[in-house]
Amino acid sequence: MSKSLQPETLCIQAGYTPKNGEPRQIPIIQSTTFRYESAAEMAKLFDLEASGYFYTRLQNPTCDAVAAKLAALEGGTMAMLTSSGQAATFFSVFNITSCGDHFISSSAIYGGSFNLFSVTMKRMGIECTFVDPDCSEEELEAAFRPNTKCVFGETIANPALRVLDIEKFAKAAHRHGVPLIVDNTFATPINCRPIEWGADIVTHSTSKYIDGHAAALGGAIIDSGNFDWAKYPDKFPGLCTPDDSYHGVIYTERFGKEGAFITKATAQLMRDFGCMQSPQNAFITNLGIESLPVRMARHCENAQRIAEFLEAQEKISWVSYSGLKNDKYYELAQKYLPKGSCGVISFGVKGGRAAAAAFMEALQLAAIETHVADARTCCLHPAGTTHRQMNDQELLAAGVSADLIRLSCGLENADDLIADLQQALNKL
Ligand SMILES: *Cc1c(COP(=O)(O)O)cnc(C)c1O
């Protein structure tokens, strides 16, 4: 498919082209396994000498079609789906780190990613240094160590809504010969394509806007194909030296820089951890992608109107939305997110924790939910729920104050949503 096609077209057409008489929509290949006529053919698949399907834990045609569409949308060379965004985050880092290694992450990231990096991966002997995304180049520079293997950040941090200066992070990573991994969940490839700004690997929780209907959990990893692993064989032995579990295949030699990362993550991590996405979920995810550009525009339009409404309210102490002219991230958003950021706003209600709870309970259209970024408007108090494992200092670094309410603006009529917020404010 032509590289010059616009995202709206790729969302519909990329990844799957039926041949004469074949189904127009991506078929759900609901099969764990695939039949072969000779044992020798199957053996070649096992040795990665031929490509083909043999077991859905490793690869499935439905999932591959959706992954190929996401690769086209992000401008990458190869992609894979995972069972969840958490699995995508974990695989993206663990694919190039081992016990004794170190990596750097923006401190303003999703709570689940923070926990994964600061607690669970630490138990595996992989250490993470968190840096403020707004840090100076010198501060970022100081976080690198000889054993640093990658840098991680989020385009728009959930829930802090801080916009990552992707170029600053990419340049620092590349100066040290390591890749930048960017979680692009909130922006989606419609509003930002991190690879164009220097990111090497992009991850997603497709459970959010990409599915968009709160129907299917999923994740994705997309490789830009730009990072030259073979230039740093000592740093990335897993990609540049023989893999004993595949008869000595060297991923960079066999699959090049365009395919080494995803092939290794599929062949080793998916084989051993099994966090694959079900073909059913991939099908639902794809339905979401088809309407993604239309929905993102509406999410952003509603969020902009609601942010402006909230900003003008006496009972609201602060509003954070990068579409507001006086927002701290307005300039960065103009650069990286010129079409709009996302539908998520955060704000504080005067009166702190208690007022926040009372306000949320008074809302009738916006439901209290853990989820964000789907068709239905919902809200959450992160300090009391998703981020409750963090102490006050960690909350501050993640950009989550105790009074923060996260409002995910859905696709309803904006006037109805504003009327709902107004009646809840009147009750305070
Ligand atoms: C939700 C989320 C994740 C985790 O995704 P799951 O699909 O829930 O596992 C990761 N990153 C961001 C930015 C998210 O919002």
Side-chain angles (χ1 to χ4, degrees):
M1 190 152 294
S2 160
K3 277 219 155 186
S4 63
L5 290 173
Q6 297 293 323
E8 293 80 0
T9 309
L10 294 173
C11 281
I12 307 289
Q13 304 269 358
Y16 171 69
T17 310
K19 297 192 194 74
N20 191 39
E22 286 184 350
R24 184 65 192 96
Q25 183 52 284
I26 297 176
I28 304 172
I29 306 297
Q30 190 66 30
S31 181
T32 56
T33 192
F34 299 81
R35 176 179 174 265
Y36 285 90
E37 283 173 357
S38 79
E41 260 181 285
M42 177 83 99
K44 276 192 187 153
L45 299 179
F46 269 90
D47 288 351
L48 300 180
E49 276 173 13
S51 64
Y53 299 101
F54 56 100
Y55 194 52
T56 285
R57 169 149 44 79
L58 284 113
Q59 276 186 291
N60 171 282
T62 311
C63 298
D64 279 1
V66 180
K69 181 179 277 191
L70 287 171
L73 274 168
E74 287 287 5
T77 52
M78 205 170 167
M80 68 195 286
L81 300 188
T82 57
S83 52
S84 66
Q86 281 301 111
T89 305
F90 174 58
F91 278 18
S92 71
V93 176
F94 193 62
N95 204 30
I96 44 172
T97 50
S98 297
C99 182
D101 284 343
H102 169 261
F103 69 107
I104 297 168
S105 173
S106 159
S107 59
I109 52 172
Y110 175 66
S113 309
F114 182 84
N115 210 50
L116 171 69
F117 295 166
S118 63
V119 180
T120 304
M121 290 188 73
K122 195 172 179 183
R123 277 176 47 211
M124 304 169 100
I126 300 164
E127 209 185 325
C128 181
T129 298
F130 293 96
V131 294
D132 190 308
D134 302 333
C135 68
S136 68
E137 282 184 27
E138 293 71 38
E139 285 167 320
L140 186 50
E141 200 62 30
F144 283 87
R145 301 179 191 172
N147 60 342
T148 301
K149 297 298 170 74
C150 63
V151 179
F152 186 95
E154 239 171 79
T155 314
I156 307 168
N158 172 12
L161 304 181
R162 298 167 88 174
V163 177
L164 186 73
D165 188 343
I166 302 173
E167 277 191 317
K168 177 179 81 179
F169 273 71
K171 279 183 190 148
H174 297 161
R175 265 199 302 275
H176 291 269
V178 300
L180 172 65
I181 305 171
V182 172
D183 179 339
N184 198 31
T185 297
F186 267 23
T188 82
I190 301 306
N191 284 349
C192 180
R193 305 209 312 165
I195 290 171
E196 288 173 357
W197 300 103
D200 301 285
I201 308 288
V202 173
T203 63
H204 280 282
S205 164
T206 60
S207 325
K208 311 293 165 52
Y209 289 116
I210 286 185
D211 160 34
H213 300 79
L217 212 69
I221 308 173
I222 298 107
D223 183 5
S224 67
N226 292 334
F227 195 84
D228 194 359
W229 312 102
K231 227 172 122 182
Y232 312 99
D234 297 339
K235 270 200 208 305
F236 306 108
L239 286 160
C240 304
T241 57
D243 178 358
D244 293 335
S245 69
Y246 276 106
H247 303 300
V249 64
I250 299 173
Y251 292 100
T252 45
E253 279 183 9
R254 180 82 66 81
F255 304 99
K257 64 184 170 68
E258 295 77 17
F261 188 90
I262 296 292
T263 307
K264 176 180 179 287
T266 302
Q268 282 183 348
L269 304 186
M270 208 51 107
R271 177 195 61 191
D272 296 350
F273 292 99
C275 317
M276 73 293 165
Q277 187 167 133
S278 82
Q280 290 277 350
N281 273 17
F283 179 83
I284 294 169
T285 299
N286 181 60
L287 290 184
I289 299 173
E290 291 188 356
S291 63
L292 185 63
V294 185
R295 291 187 291 104
M296 283 313 286
R298 176 64 171 269
H299 279 295
C300 292
E301 197 184 306
N302 280 358
Q304 184 70 32
R305 278 199 54 198
I306 289 168
E308 286 169 10
F309 163 80
L310 287 171
E311 203 179 28
Q313 302 308 307
E314 181 55 29
K315 291 173 181 171
I316 299 292
S317 44
W318 56 272
V319 181
S320 167
Y321 186 66
S322 62
L324 294 175
K325 289 228 163 59
N326 55 5
D327 191 82
K328 190 177 170 197
Y329 295 96
Y330 181 78
E331 295 301 328
L332 274 181
Q334 288 299 301
K335 174 175 174 180
Y336 292 109
L337 304 149
K339 287 200 263 179
S341 56
C342 64
V344 184
I345 297 171
S346 58
F347 59 93
V349 179
K350 283 183 186 160
R353 267 172 203 262
F359 172 74
M360 283 173 42
E361 281 161 22
L363 290 168
Q364 287 166 359
L365 288 176
I368 300 174
E369 286 175 29
T370 317
H371 198 59
V372 277
D374 68 68
R376 278 160 291 271
T377 296
C378 60
C379 60
L380 179 79
H381 181 226
T385 53
T386 47
H387 286 60
R388 63 182 299 129
Q389 77 283 2
M390 288 190 181
N391 61 37
D392 283 358
Q393 205 181 344
E394 288 170 337
L395 277 177
L396 206 67
V400 182
S401 57
D403 66 343
L404 184 149
I405 293 176
R406 182 182 69 183
L407 180 72
S408 173
C409 303
L411 301 176
E412 300 93 335
N413 180 287
D415 292 332
D416 288 344
L417 294 173
I418 288 172
D420 188 30
L421 293 164
Q422 183 71 71
Q423 65 81 24
L425 282 173
N426 291 347
K427 287 189 183 142
L428 286 183

